[in-house]
Amino acid sequence: MSNVASGASRNWNTSARKTKFWKTQVGIVVMGKKPVEPLKKARLVLIRHSSVEPDYDGLVSGFKAVIDGLRKYGVLANDKMQNIGRPEYLWVSTTPKMGKITVKVESIEEIEGKS
């Protein structure tokens, strides 16, 4: 199977740079905001704001580096299903050149404590 068929970038170097960029952005955003200990269980809501609606596979795969960054920088203990279940992936339409992402992380303990 070719890289294109599997959804991978034709140029691994470009893909690696994009992954590093998103992980670094996560590290910058969580600096001084991360929990004392990584969350063992969490709920994630991941929102892409863009002018073009992505297909579902693209929406989900586009957040992989972000989730990996949450793990790398100590927000999540792990990114397995037992830790984060199935994140909620959403798309919101916005005007061209105004794209962004929104990432919401809630501790499962906090959610259960509110009930």
Side-chain angles (χ1 to χ4, degrees):
M1 178 185 317
S2 74
N3 284 345
V4 176
S6 68
S9 172
R10 284 179 176 233
N11 185 331
W12 68 267
N13 195 21
T14 299
S15 180
R17 270 186 276 152
K18 286 180 182 178
T19 297
K20 183 177 179 179
F21 169 81
W22 282 110
K23 285 182 183 179
T24 301
Q25 293 304 303
V26 169
I28 291 166
V29 170
V30 302
M31 197 180 314
K33 299 177 188 176
K34 65 183 179 178
V36 177
E37 290 185 25
L39 301 175
K40 291 183 173 88
K41 288 192 170 252
R43 176 178 179 264
L44 303 180
V45 179
L46 307 159
I47 308 166
R48 179 191 292 182
H49 306 259
S50 64
S51 60
V52 177
E53 182 176 7
D55 64 18
Y56 188 74
D57 290 344
L59 179 64
V60 171
S61 65
F63 281 104
K64 180 173 179 5
V66 173
I67 294 172
D68 289 347
L70 291 171
R71 183 172 177 216
K72 177 180 179 177
Y73 290 103
V75 175
L76 302 174
N78 209 321
D79 58 359
K80 294 180 180 179
M81 285 188 67
Q82 68 184 8
N83 303 95
I84 62 171
R86 274 188 270 166
E88 185 174 356
Y89 296 95
L90 304 170
W91 172 74
V92 174
S93 179
T94 189
T95 56
K97 309 233 184 248
M98 295 302 292
K100 65 178 183 176
I101 63 169
T102 302
V103 177
K104 297 178 185 178
V105 179
E106 297 176 299
S107 168
I108 295 292
E109 290 81 24
E110 289 176 15
I111 294 169
E112 291 174 352
K114 291 178 183 178
S115 312

